Amino acid sequence: MTQLIPLDKRSKKAQREYHAKQRGSWYGLNPITRTVQSMDIYEYFKAQGVKIESPPEMFTGDNSCYLYQGREGEEPILVIAPHQGRIPSQ
């Protein structure tokens, strides 16, 4: 029989493992692919230094956008996706 140890009494490593399991995942989805693209998204990623392939005029709020992470040493790229977004940019 295993004994239940309160979270605050566990080691830091055990606490990190517990919290990592609790975080879960997006089940293979990147949340940015479901975000409605708008000028807010454009300005946010531009301020982060992300390369943006689509011109600012295309960020009308109709579709979603993709953030390609690239390989090691490559900068991320933001492009407009062909599907509609579901998560508001606010």
Side-chain angles (χ1 to χ4, degrees):
M1 186 170 162
T2 60
Q3 185 178 9
L4 181 64
I5 301 172
L7 186 60
D8 60 336
K9 299 288 184 181
R10 298 180 194 177
S11 68
K12 292 290 182 184
K13 182 179 178 183
Q15 289 179 18
R16 280 193 298 270
E17 289 173 0
Y18 172 81
H19 289 300
K21 287 180 186 175
Q22 294 298 314
R23 268 187 227 114
S25 73
W26 285 77
Y27 303 103
L29 296 176
N30 183 348
I32 190 66
T33 64
R34 301 293 180 235
T35 303
V36 176
Q37 46 83 358
S38 65
M39 283 308 289
D40 294 335
I41 295 291
Y42 180 86
E43 291 168 1
Y44 172 79
F45 283 107
K46 186 170 178 121
Q48 299 295 319
V50 172
K51 180 179 177 184
I52 302 173
E53 286 291 318
S54 306
E57 302 83 40
M58 293 184 71
F59 285 80
T60 60
D62 296 332
N63 293 347
S64 184
C65 50
Y66 290 129
L67 181 64
Y68 292 106
Q69 293 293 339
R71 295 188 179 136
E72 196 172 315
E74 293 180 0
E75 62 182 18
I77 301 171
L78 183 73
V79 296
I80 293 183
H83 59 273
Q84 287 190 327
R86 296 188 177 145
I87 302 172
S89 61
Q90 303 299 330

